[in-house]
Amino acid sequence: MVVRAPSALAEQVRKWREQRLSIAMVPTMGALHAGHLSLLHLAQQKADRVVVSIFINPMQFSAGEDFERYPRREEEDLIMLREHGASLAYLPGADAMYPKGFQTTVYVKELTGILCGASRPGHFDGVATVVTKLLLQALPDIAVFGEKDYQQLLVIRRLVRDLDIPVSVVGAPLIREPDGLAMSSRNRYLSKEERQTAPRLFATLNKAAEGVLSGRIAPEEVTAWGRAQLRQEGFGEVDYFDLRDAETLHCVSELNRSARLLAAVHLGKTRLLDNVAIAP
Ligand code: AMP
């Protein structure tokens, strides 16, 4: 089933509630791949009905970013969702999400100015606002987000807690191509040559993680090490290559708690994101 109006979504959710069915939501921007499908499958294990939303949220792109050229694959996406048993695809229009006069922003203070928030100012305000709206429109029991966008997952956990949104947020593991490249809708932008370079981001994160765990690379040195390595591997500008606390995203100088090594790097016209867990 495909619905586009928030009222139609609410009506369907109400019917499911009457039948005492549990509901999960998987928000996406479409151009679906196996990473998105893994979220759908996890949601299906956890709830009776799954709503997958597809909305390319203009509010999370700044001027000069790839909003216009972001891949739009509605027909293929809907076929995939049907084949994989999504109960409902929710595709709201931009006017339904941001009607004339719209002026409210959800702002999560500390988590949003660093890492991707530093290189994409305002990005997480757009994410936090649209996710809040989607969750309030569907009011699911659970919502599933990928660890691919690790900082985004933490921002959403925070806002759900802070705003008492009655939804439990589930994080899902990052799904990779066989050569290690993190799956992403934006990987379609890569040229053949760039596609060969791209998996070296994951390889570099792994090497850095091993280096830190074995004591060969000090936590304070991992950023410089990673930046130099990525340059050597043929990547362009490195937005960040940082070791952070897995929960607070504070900088880490000692490995005594779960940490995450996170990176964003440019390759041609594509910005690649990836991260790996580091458990002490
Ligand atoms: P997007 O369509 O890129 O906004 O992503 C929608 C959701 O899918 C987000 O929760 C992402 O973190 C998640 N996602 C995207 N790519 C992957 C991946 N390779 N593995 C796991 N989750 C992913």
Side-chain angles (χ1 to χ4, degrees):
M1 190 189 330
V2 180
V3 305
R4 294 177 193 272
S7 57
L9 172 69
E11 177 59 18
Q12 183 55 55
V13 168
R14 193 187 54 75
K15 284 186 189 152
W16 286 335
R17 292 276 175 224
E18 269 174 19
Q19 298 166 44
R20 303 199 168 279
L21 296 169
S22 60
I23 299 164
M25 182 172 216
V26 180
T28 80
M29 298 207 298
L32 301 179
H33 49 68
H36 295 114
L37 293 179
S38 74
L39 270 53
L40 167 59
H41 295 148
L42 183 60
Q44 285 168 327
Q45 285 168 25
K46 294 191 174 276
D48 301 314
R49 294 291 180 271
V50 180
V51 175
V52 177
S53 64
I54 299 178
F55 179 63
I56 304 175
N57 174 33
M59 194 177 172
Q60 70 189 66
F61 291 80
S62 323
E65 288 188 342
D66 58 343
F67 176 69
E68 269 83 27
R69 69 181 181 120
Y70 196 86
R72 286 158 171 85
R73 297 275 185 285
E74 187 176 311
E75 213 170 301
E76 295 94 321
D77 287 351
L78 291 178
I79 292 170
M80 264 167 111
L81 291 180
R82 207 171 312 127
E83 280 177 0
H84 287 266
S87 320
L88 187 148
Y90 175 47
L91 283 73
D95 334 343
M97 293 303 278
Y98 300 115
K100 202 161 175 274
F102 185 90
Q103 52 184 297
T104 302
T105 299
V106 178
Y107 168 57
V108 180
K109 194 158 53 181
E110 282 187 9
L111 287 169
T112 59
I114 52 173
L115 304 172
C116 281
S119 21
R120 304 182 68 189
H123 168 67
F124 286 115
D125 299 346
V127 170
T129 304
V130 82
V131 169
T132 302
K133 284 180 65 88
L134 289 167
L135 295 180
L136 293 176
Q137 287 172 350
L139 281 181
D141 299 286
I142 70 163
V144 184
F145 296 89
E147 289 186 347
K148 158 83 189 347
D149 301 278
Y150 191 80
Q151 186 177 9
Q152 168 177 283
L153 172 62
L154 295 188
V155 168
I156 291 162
R157 282 194 197 285
R158 187 74 254 167
L159 79 87
V160 162
R161 240 179 280 149
D162 289 354
L163 299 179
D164 305 310
I165 301 177
V167 172
S168 93
V169 174
V170 174
L174 198 166
I175 304 299
R176 302 180 178 281
E177 300 286 356
D179 61 9
L181 174 65
M183 288 193 180
S184 163
S185 305
R186 288 187 168 100
N187 290 348
R188 294 163 196 261
Y189 299 157
L190 296 168
S191 70
K192 225 167 154 192
E193 206 174 71
E194 290 163 355
R195 177 64 188 78
Q196 289 190 330
T197 305
R200 296 186 200 146
L201 172 57
F202 179 50
T204 304
L205 283 165
N206 273 334
K207 266 197 218 160
E210 277 164 29
V212 170
L213 278 169
S214 67
R216 266 188 299 111
I217 305 175
E220 310 82 60
E221 283 161 16
V222 74
T223 294
W225 184 91
R227 283 177 177 272
Q229 188 74 20
L230 288 173
R231 287 293 194 168
Q232 242 177 49
E233 298 283 10
F235 289 91
E237 196 183 332
V238 180
D239 283 348
Y240 58 83
F241 190 99
D242 278 16
L243 183 63
R244 301 274 176 149
D245 182 279
E247 273 169 41
T248 62
L249 294 183
H250 292 162
C251 292
V252 165
S253 53
E254 231 181 308
L255 268 193
N256 47 11
R257 282 158 52 88
S258 284
R260 207 93 192 175
L261 192 55
L262 306 111
V265 59
H266 295 259
L267 185 57
K269 289 196 165 102
T270 313
R271 183 172 177 273
L272 299 175
L273 270 191
D274 204 343
N275 68 85
V276 296
I278 300 191

